[in-house]
Amino acid sequence: RFDEALRSYNQAIAASNGAVPGYFINRALALRGLGQIEPALEDVLRARSAAAASRVPLRDPAPILSPNDTGGTREDGFP
């Protein structure tokens, strides 16, 4: 049901004017489920920017979005 999730998060992002970082993370997960890795990673960057602007702590979604699902540690110290 990734298509349905994608539509829902598109609506949520539009309604919130992109102010809720979690919506971008969840949309990234839906995009990843649809095999759209590049747009998913772009949403992760949007989430990071939104989180920094609002000072909202954000978990590292990289292990979840890893194409081979191995995760791992990031070098950039993502909180």
Side-chain angles (χ1 to χ4, degrees):
R1 298 177 52 184
F2 292 119
D3 288 326
E4 183 180 332
L6 184 59
R7 283 190 300 276
S8 294
Y9 283 108
N10 285 339
Q11 291 172 349
I13 289 168
S16 70
N17 292 319
V20 181
Y23 293 165
F24 288 108
I25 294 297
N26 289 337
R27 184 171 73 176
L29 294 172
L31 288 165
R32 197 249 187 241
L34 292 168
Q36 299 179 29
I37 302 303
E38 288 301 317
L41 293 174
E42 290 171 13
D43 267 1
V44 171
L45 295 177
R46 288 183 187 106
R48 290 179 74 179
S49 294
S54 63
R55 298 186 185 264
V56 171
L58 190 62
R59 285 186 23 210
D60 180 5
I64 297 168
L65 293 174
S66 174
N68 60 7
D69 291 321
T70 61
T73 323
R74 291 177 51 121
E75 293 180 15
D76 64 2
F78 193 100

